């Protein structure tokens, strides 16, 4: 093998190993007893595969209930984010207005705001308007933090859509909404899919806001299930590992089946921007 191939493939191999190893370690972690885990051998196989850890994680971690809550919150967040960000991106990219650049700058500033700095003011606001400890108190900030990156991705793509397509439709009497839904949106499906997947992944396992705004047990999302296996005196690490595997599995499946759409959408937005 030539030196050039070694220099190229070596870092890629290291990257693959560093990304795959934590998942492999977590899988082994979930099939061990607490005593085996505490011995500290990270890659040793368990004496016997403890599949009962998954049964315990499923029942004691309230997996189905928390899974449903996560699905509801995440899917509504994705839908609202796509609806708002596609329209904003179309307006910013296609309409010739002096406000286009200031509006785009405002969304870019939104990317730089840390979530932690918004927790206290949001909690006060939600308490005053009566939506604290509801799924709406999660959906609203999730959407707000997802829209800026969505606008950045899609507006770059929309800027390069030929104006001739819309001009011909306008001459035929099409309204702006008709041009948006019939011309721009179908063309922008690659970045739309990218935004959909990235929004799903970023909000699926979010814990800080969920822990701050939710107190009712029946409203909690998947990350809260990890608390079911930790007490003041002991922790069931095997069941905890099994719960983590089941929690991250939907995200892995979504990314595995749709990874090509993420790549194509990001590349399209980068080239057209």
């Amino acid at each position: 093998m030539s030196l050039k191939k070694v220099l190229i493939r070596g870092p890629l191999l290291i990257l693959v190993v560093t990304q795959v190893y934590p998942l492999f370690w977590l899988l082994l972690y979930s099939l061990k007893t607490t005593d085996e885990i505490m011995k500290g051998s990270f890659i040793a196989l368990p004496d016997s595969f403890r599949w009962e850890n998954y049964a315990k994680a499923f029942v004691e971690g309230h997996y189905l209930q928390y899974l449903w809550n996560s699905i509801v919150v995440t899917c509504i967040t994705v839908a609202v984010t796509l609806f708002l960000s596609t329209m904003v991106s179309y307006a910013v990219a296609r309409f010739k207005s002096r406000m286009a650049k200031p509006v785009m700058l405002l969304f870019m500033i939104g990317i730089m705001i840390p979530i932690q700095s918004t927790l206290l003011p949001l909690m006060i606001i939600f308490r005053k308007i009566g939506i604290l400890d509801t799924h709406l108190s999660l959906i609203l900030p999730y959407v707000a933090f997802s829209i800026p990156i969505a606008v950045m991705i899609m507006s770059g793509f929309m800027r390069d859509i030929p104006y001739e397509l819309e001009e011909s439709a306008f001459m035929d009497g099409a309204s702006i909404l008709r041009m948006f839904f019939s011309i721009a949106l179908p063309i922008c499906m690659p970045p739309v899919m990218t935004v959909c997947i990235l929004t799903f992944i970023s909000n699926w396992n979010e814990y800080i806001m969920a822990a701050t705004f939710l107190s009712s047990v029946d409203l909690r999302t998947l990350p809260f299930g990890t608390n079911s296996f930790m007490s003041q005196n002991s922790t069931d690490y095997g069941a905890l590992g099994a719960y983590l595997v089941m929690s991250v599995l939907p995200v892995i499946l979504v990314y595995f089946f749709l990874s090509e759409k993420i790549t194509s959408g990001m590349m399209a937005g980068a080239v057209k921007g």
Side-chain angles (χ1 to χ4, degrees):
M1 184 180 295
S2 64
L3 179 60
K4 182 179 179 180
K5 291 183 178 180
V6 172
L7 293 176
I8 294 176
R9 296 180 182 179
L12 292 177
L13 180 61
I14 295 174
L15 181 62
V16 169
V17 171
T18 55
Q19 295 298 315
V20 173
Y21 170 74
L23 297 176
F24 177 73
W25 175 83
L26 180 61
L27 183 61
L28 290 179
Y29 187 101
S30 67
L31 296 172
K32 295 181 179 181
T33 64
T34 299
D35 292 337
E36 289 174 328
I37 293 171
M38 296 305 293
K39 290 179 181 179
S41 180
F42 295 110
I43 60 175
L45 293 175
D47 295 334
S48 62
F49 293 106
R50 310 283 293 189
W51 297 107
E52 57 267 27
N53 287 340
Y54 284 87
K56 186 175 183 180
F58 187 86
V59 176
E60 296 186 11
H62 308 284
Y63 182 75
L64 285 181
Q65 180 182 0
Y66 293 167
L67 176 65
W68 172 249
N69 291 336
S70 291
I71 291 174
V72 169
V73 171
T74 306
C75 289
I76 294 177
T77 299
V78 170
V80 176
T81 298
L82 288 176
F83 178 76
L84 296 177
S85 60
T86 50
M87 289 191 170
V88 170
S89 300
Y90 184 72
V92 170
R94 308 302 287 175
F95 297 165
K96 296 179 180 180
S97 172
R98 291 180 298 178
M99 294 301 297
K101 289 185 177 180
V103 169
M104 193 64 186
L105 178 61
L106 183 64
F107 281 107
M108 295 304 99
I109 293 174
I111 298 178
M112 298 183 289
I113 298 176
I115 292 178
Q116 294 82 355
S117 66
T118 66
L119 295 179
L120 181 57
L122 284 178
M123 186 170 64
I124 295 173
I125 293 172
F126 292 160
R127 182 183 290 115
K128 288 185 176 180
I129 63 178
I131 64 171
L132 190 65
D133 194 26
T134 65
H135 283 159
L136 187 59
S137 64
L138 287 184
I139 294 171
L140 289 179
Y142 285 177
V143 170
F145 279 97
S146 299
I147 285 179
I149 186 66
V151 171
M152 184 186 71
I153 293 173
M154 287 190 291
S155 62
F157 188 95
M158 288 186 177
R159 287 191 184 97
D160 207 47
I161 297 177
Y163 281 97
E164 290 77 11
L165 295 176
E166 295 166 312
E167 289 175 355
S168 60
F170 181 76
M171 294 297 293
D172 291 336
S175 64
I176 293 177
L177 287 178
R178 180 65 181 274
M179 290 188 292
F180 171 73
F181 286 108
S182 300
I183 299 176
L185 196 58
I187 294 176
C188 293
M189 287 312 296
V192 165
M193 289 302 302
T194 299
V195 169
C196 177
I197 297 167
L198 293 180
T199 303
F200 177 88
I201 293 174
S202 63
N203 292 305
W204 180 259
N205 285 322
E206 197 282 327
Y207 182 80
I208 297 176
M209 285 189 175
T212 304
F213 301 144
L214 296 181
S215 57
S216 299
V217 176
D218 58 339
L219 295 176
R220 291 176 175 176
T221 52
L222 272 177
F224 279 95
T226 57
N227 298 331
S228 304
F229 311 103
M230 296 180 288
S231 63
Q232 184 176 359
N233 299 318
S234 63
T235 300
D236 190 339
Y237 290 105
L240 177 60
Y243 187 87
L244 292 175
V245 171
M246 292 192 300
S247 298
V248 77
L249 187 60
V251 178
I252 294 176
L253 292 176
V254 168
Y255 188 86
F256 178 77
F257 287 110
L258 301 177
S259 60
E260 291 185 3
K261 294 185 179 296
I262 295 179
T263 304
S264 62
M266 292 296 287
M267 291 299 294
V271 173
K272 294 180 181 296

